[in-house]
Amino acid sequence: KFSRTAKNYFFMIKNKKILAVIPARGGSKGVKLKNLLKIQGISITSRATLLASKLNVIDKVLVSSDNDEILKDVSKINERICLKRPSQLSGDRVSDIRVLKHALQMAEKREKTTFDLIVMLQPTSPMRSKHEVLESINIFIENNHDSVWSVSGVDLKYHPYKQLWISNSNQLKYFDENKGEKIIARQQLRETYYRNGAVYVLSRNLVLSGKSLMGKNPGFFKSKKSHISIDNKEEFIKVKGIIEKK
């Protein structure tokens, strides 16, 4: 449930201009053209695009890509959502914030308007729901955040203080050598979370700063369901099976 009634919720955001950006680069070391992988006959990039397009609160959707095949695929939905990135924004070392800044500037130039907030939907998290996107936007607006990330809880057995690493001398060590040995019971550990990639909501000023996805006043939306961010073929097969079973 939303923290406010649906009527009040939509009243809050009706005067906000919202841009949704789907970043979908062509290169991927794990899986070739990962963002064109298909679930139920639709690429994961088009899947994110369709979800964003069906949300009435979103004013403009852009797919930012350096790959012509990806842009051709999403152009079947709407040619006006396609944005070809310049070469300097290609490659796996380019940060999301730089990609978002370019998309925002181009969108404002094209639409001759100013957007208040930007929603980033990564194609590699195709298990997201409309509710998660809407509630993340709701949290952002209600609390005047710089950003809101969707996160998932981590089982305490994988807590950072229980993590290990192997040194150059091939010795097993605690990730945090000062605290790792002192952890005896689960009750000593605080809950930790990971960003699941389903939704990011960011202020215009934060994006234009080009520095960080978090800002000085970050918020969060805790996903109740599990999310898998696709990095390899095995994860894709697992996600595909879950979605198609439903």
Side-chain angles (χ1 to χ4, degrees), residues 19-63:
L19 171 68
V21 180
I22 292 92
R25 68 186 185 88
S28 175
K29 293 180 179 179
V31 183
K32 185 178 179 180
L33 284 177
K34 177 172 62 179
N35 287 314
L36 280 179
L37 292 172
K38 292 186 177 182
I39 298 175
Q40 297 175 319
I42 303 171
S43 74
I44 58 175
T45 301
S46 287
R47 187 179 182 87
T49 304
L50 286 169
L51 183 143
S53 300
K54 291 175 182 177
L55 295 175
N56 292 332
V57 300
I58 290 178
D59 299 280
K60 177 68 179 175
V61 180
L62 275 184
V63 176

Side-chain angles (χ1 to χ4, degrees), residues 207-222:
V207 171
L208 289 179
S209 74
K211 296 178 181 179
S212 166
L213 284 176
M214 186 171 279
K216 295 181 179 179
N217 182 27
F220 61 89
F221 167 74
K222 286 196 285 187

Side-chain angles (χ1 to χ4, degrees), residues 131-195:
H131 168 81
E132 290 175 305
V133 179
L134 291 171
E135 183 64 5
S136 295
I137 294 171
N138 185 33
I139 292 168
F140 178 95
I141 294 173
E142 279 193 336
N143 298 282
N144 198 30
H145 287 301
D146 293 327
S147 66
V148 167
W149 296 7
S150 61
V151 298
S152 296
V154 178
D155 191 309
L156 286 177
K157 68 170 65 78
Y158 304 118
H159 192 280
Y161 291 164
K162 288 195 168 189
Q163 302 254 341
L164 306 167
W165 67 287
I166 298 173
S167 70
N168 292 335
S169 57
N170 215 34
Q171 290 182 323
L172 196 64
K173 294 182 178 292
Y174 283 104
F175 181 75
D176 188 314
E177 295 184 16
N178 293 323
K179 297 183 179 179
E181 288 191 49
K182 299 174 183 177
I183 301 301
I184 299 172
R186 293 166 62 91
Q187 289 75 16
Q188 294 175 266
L189 302 172
R190 295 179 64 178
E191 292 287 338
T192 60
Y193 303 86
Y194 68 93
R195 48 179 172 174

Side-chain angles (χ1 to χ4, degrees), residues 62-63 71-72 74-75 78-84 110:
L62 275 184
V63 176
L71 293 175
K72 182 179 179 181
V74 298
S75 69
N78 185 342
E79 287 187 1
R80 296 198 71 235
I81 65 176
C82 297
L83 177 64
K84 183 70 178 287
R110 284 185 184 182

